[in-house]
Amino acid sequence: MSTITPSPTSPFRRSLRGLSLLMASWLMLSATALAEPAARTASPALPPELVANKHINAGDLRIGYADLGPAKGEVIILLHGWPYDINSYAEVAPQLAARGYRVIVPHLRGYGTTTFLSADTPRNGQPAALASDVIALMDALEIRRATLAGYDWGARSADIVAAIWPERVKALVSVSGYLIGSQEAARTPLPPSGELQWWYQFYFATDRGQAGYTQYTHDFAKKIWELASPQWKFDDATFKRSASALDNPDHVAIVIHNYRWRLSLAEGEPKYAALEQRLAQAPVITVPTITIEGDANGAPHPKPEAYATKFVGKYEHRTFTGGIGHNPPQESPAEFVQAVVDATRL
């Protein structure tokens, strides 16, 4: 079998040369194209850390808090949830401060730099205690009135303060709306799908759950973040920065007591009994309020139409869209800032 070798000047050889050049150009362009998406999808830089560099004795606690903005500005208090920390507001707080507000962001009891003044004080996580901490903080800082905003545990505390001490609250921003509950209300079982969402509450009711949360606090928190905000693509640096607040020596005790108290498996403190009785009546909230819900909230939460009648003052509800989960201030900071500003103007 004979082989035909094309001459250097033949049309076939010229076609091969052209094809080789074309292939080389294509490879260079492909390499560039492949590199570009990597640059576009790189994790954005973390916003500056929100540091609780101030402390004050308030009630049973020495509360660690961040304090931004002008000292004489209109006060906004931002309350975080479980298992998060003040860095949920790392973008929100500076933006509000830049608008002239004084912004205070405290670590809740059992988180970050907040500690108990006495080793003998019960490590109590009941809602009345957490809400009373807010009033104690305001009293210690000589703040007569403030706008309160929060999500998860923070929203519940803000709701309670607004309901029981409305004279101390100018306006309220509450993620997932009306979250005031009671041990009596919690005795009513939910449908199976509803009970399933509270799996961790039943886990914490056991010795195994307490031991598991103690051993795997950060892993547990990360799983809650993922389930509560299934479309939020947070990176490890973002999570680790907040997870460090869970290393507080009282954290596990506060969390376990909170969820056991809800199921009447743990006693509260007698000094909060009268307050809990008032909360068991599901009091209405009269202060101007904006409630918020994320369109992809994976945590247990009531539907907006179920609680709208509990807000009898000026009221507005907003749904944050685009895959926003349980932590709107961190997932959608610009919208959250606007909601807070708008609430102060209601």
Side-chain angles (χ1 to χ4, degrees):
M1 183 176 179
S2 61
T3 301
I4 301 174
T5 303
S7 69
T9 58
S10 70
F12 183 60
R13 175 61 65 89
R14 288 196 301 271
S15 296
L16 283 176
R17 261 199 317 270
L19 184 60
S20 297
L21 290 171
L22 183 61
M23 287 293 291
S25 299
W26 180 82
L27 288 171
M28 290 177 65
L29 288 170
S30 296
T32 302
L34 287 172
E36 286 177 352
R40 287 197 300 269
T41 58
S43 297
L46 280 175
E49 184 176 6
L50 198 57
V51 179
N53 56 359
K54 293 191 175 183
H55 293 81
I56 193 165
N57 292 351
D60 292 331
L61 305 172
R62 179 170 170 78
I63 296 178
Y65 64 100
D67 192 343
L68 295 76
K72 296 188 180 297
E74 182 181 329
V75 179
I76 294 171
I77 300 176
L78 304 174
L79 302 170
H80 70 83
W82 169 81
Y84 306 87
D85 88 319
I86 63 173
N87 278 293
S88 292
Y89 299 105
E91 292 186 70
V92 168
Q95 291 184 42
L96 289 170
R99 294 180 181 231
Y101 297 100
R102 181 186 180 189
V103 185
I104 295 170
V105 195
H107 271 127
L108 305 187
R109 56 169 63 194
Y111 294 79
T113 58
T114 292
T115 57
F116 283 84
L117 294 173
S118 171
D120 298 328
T121 302
R123 272 36 179 177
N124 179 358
Q126 74 184 103
L130 289 158
S132 296
D133 292 343
V134 179
I135 292 295
L137 175 62
M138 292 177 68
D139 288 345
L141 293 174
E142 299 182 347
I143 296 171
R144 186 182 66 83
R145 199 162 173 248
T147 292
L148 304 183
Y151 68 100
D152 195 80
W153 287 22
R156 181 173 292 106
S157 294
D159 285 350
I160 292 172
V161 174
I164 303 298
W165 296 279
E167 72 280 1
R168 306 298 297 273
V169 181
K170 177 181 180 181
L172 170 69
V173 175
S174 178
V175 176
S176 296
Y178 189 89
L179 296 177
I180 297 175
S182 67
Q183 289 180 324
E184 183 61 35
R187 291 189 177 97
T188 302
L190 301 173
S193 59
E195 298 286 7
L196 178 63
Q197 288 189 301
W198 288 105
W199 64 273
Y200 50 87
Q201 182 168 256
F202 300 112
Y203 180 66
F204 289 157
T206 67
D207 290 341
R208 179 185 179 90
Q210 182 170 356
Y213 192 58
T214 301
Q215 183 174 353
Y216 301 109
T217 308
H218 286 204
D219 292 337
F220 200 100
K222 190 171 187 179
K223 178 54 63 178
I224 294 295
W225 281 35
E226 293 168 348
L227 294 174
S229 300
Q231 297 186 43
W232 180 30
K233 305 303 179 185
F234 59 88
D235 57 21
D236 287 341
T238 298
F239 172 74
K240 288 179 180 178
R241 190 163 76 177
S242 287
S244 64
L246 311 183
D247 296 331
N248 181 295
D250 300 308
H251 177 75
V252 172
I254 294 295
V255 172
I256 296 300
H257 183 267
N258 178 284
Y259 287 105
R260 289 184 179 181
W261 181 90
R262 298 188 197 192
L263 295 177
S264 300
L265 300 176
E267 295 293 327
E269 289 182 80
K271 67 180 180 179
Y272 297 118
L275 177 53
E276 291 293 357
Q277 288 177 1
R278 292 181 65 185
L279 296 175
Q281 303 303 312
V284 297
I285 292 176
T286 59
V287 305
T289 301
I290 293 178
T291 58
I292 293 169
E293 192 55 79
D295 65 342
N297 187 358
H301 61 278
K303 295 181 178 180
E305 56 269 26
Y307 56 68
T309 58
K310 303 304 292 183
F311 299 95
V312 298
K314 294 180 179 179
Y315 173 69
E316 181 183 335
H317 176 76
R318 299 181 182 182
T319 298
F320 288 4
T321 60
I324 305 304
H326 192 57
N327 180 5
Q330 197 162 7
E331 299 176 57
S332 187
E335 284 185 286
F336 195 87
V337 166
Q338 192 60 55
V340 174
V341 171
D342 291 344
T344 67
R345 298 170 177 169
L346 282 178

